[in-house]
Amino acid sequence: MNIPQEYIIQRKSVRHARINVNEKQEVKLIIPNSFSNDEIERLIEQKQNWIKEKLAEFQKEEILSIHIPPANILYLGEPHPKPRNNLEKWYRKEAKNYLSKRIDFLAKKHNFKFNKLFIRDSFNKWGNCSKEKNISLNWRLIKAPVKVIDYVILHELCHTVILKHSHAFWLKLSTVCPTFNEQANWLKKYGKSLFQ
């Protein structure tokens, strides 16, 4: 098979290939620099059914209904003037600054202790907490409303106490984030819009 012309191929210094399908019906492939065209074709062939399923899902999903003027971007759930420099670099810098302050504030407020914070680039996770109490947050969260960001942070902070998604975990989360179901549903409904 040939590589479909509408697919977006990005070669980067990464170990593993990744495929991202978004609500614009775009299929983006993040490919290691060492990959040949034959290897890309094999990857697409292997993931063909998964790509079709994702495209079908997006036809049913609602897109974030915030009107963003062309000169603006999404920041903390609201339109924000677009920076002149590299957009992703700006987002990552803002995410590191805001999320590090916010997690410190929420941890202190609710008596949680964590080890280190990492700002990650992930296509399938908003956050993660390791056994060592290291917390990772997706930089794209900086686009989400503050309540949604707080939910993800508090979710991971609860994992510093209860690692598994047990009944006790959800009970703990409900005490520090009573509306967590609303925020979780927002991410399920609009989360893919943050990958624009």
Side-chain angles (χ1 to χ4, degrees):
M1 67 172 288
N2 294 320
I3 300 171
Q5 289 186 347
E6 66 272 20
Y7 284 15
I8 300 167
I9 311 293
Q10 295 179 342
R11 290 187 178 274
K12 291 189 176 182
S13 299
V14 294
R15 288 186 178 182
H16 305 290
R18 297 196 302 263
I19 300 177
N20 179 38
V21 180
N22 63 31
E23 73 287 340
K24 294 179 181 179
Q25 306 290 298
E26 293 174 335
V27 180
K28 295 183 180 180
L29 287 83
I30 310 298
I31 302 296
N33 290 323
S34 60
F35 259 45
S36 67
N37 283 345
D38 286 344
E39 288 175 305
I40 296 174
E41 287 183 14
R42 280 199 297 272
L43 174 66
I44 293 171
E45 196 169 357
Q46 289 170 2
K47 296 291 185 179
Q48 201 166 27
N49 289 336
W50 180 86
I51 292 170
K52 287 179 181 177
E53 288 173 9
K54 284 294 177 184
L55 288 170
E57 282 178 22
F58 279 119
Q59 288 176 355
K60 299 175 185 176
E61 284 187 4
E62 294 183 54
I63 306 303
L64 191 57
S65 57
I66 296 173
H67 174 65
I68 305 173
N72 287 257
I73 57 169
L74 194 61
Y75 179 78
L76 298 178
E78 301 290 340
H80 182 86
K82 188 179 289 185
R84 294 180 182 178
N85 299 326
N86 182 285
L87 182 57
E88 184 175 322
K89 187 177 179 181
W90 182 86
Y91 264 136
R92 285 171 180 267
K93 183 180 178 182
E94 289 296 313
K96 185 177 181 181
N97 182 45
Y98 180 85
L99 297 176
S100 60
K101 290 178 181 177
R102 196 65 185 165
I103 196 171
D104 285 343
F105 169 78
L106 291 171
K108 187 175 181 181
K109 180 181 178 180
H110 297 287
N111 298 311
F112 288 110
K113 290 184 179 180
F114 67 98
N115 187 19
K116 295 178 181 178
L117 172 67
F118 298 96
I119 307 301
R120 304 289 195 194
D121 181 12
S122 175
F123 288 94
N124 54 18
K125 283 187 178 181
W126 294 112
N128 184 65
C129 179
S130 70
K131 292 179 181 178
E132 294 76 26
K133 299 186 179 182
N134 293 323
I135 291 178
S136 300
L137 296 173
N138 192 321
W139 65 263
R140 293 173 182 82
L141 280 172
I142 197 65
K143 301 180 184 183
V146 172
K147 285 185 178 181
V148 174
I149 295 174
D150 285 357
Y151 152 68
V152 175
I153 291 174
L154 288 168
H155 184 116
E156 300 310 328
L157 285 172
C158 284
H159 277 311
T160 64
V161 181
I162 306 166
L163 202 56
K164 293 183 179 180
H165 286 136
S166 61
H167 176 72
F169 169 85
W170 296 113
L171 188 61
K172 179 71 175 175
L173 181 58
S174 68
T175 62
V176 296
C177 187
T179 62
F180 77 87
N181 274 323
E182 290 177 27
Q183 318 314 327
N185 286 335
W186 190 98
L187 273 178
K188 286 178 183 177
K189 195 173 182 181
Y190 301 122
K192 292 295 182 182
S193 296
L194 305 185
F195 285 83
Q196 292 183 50

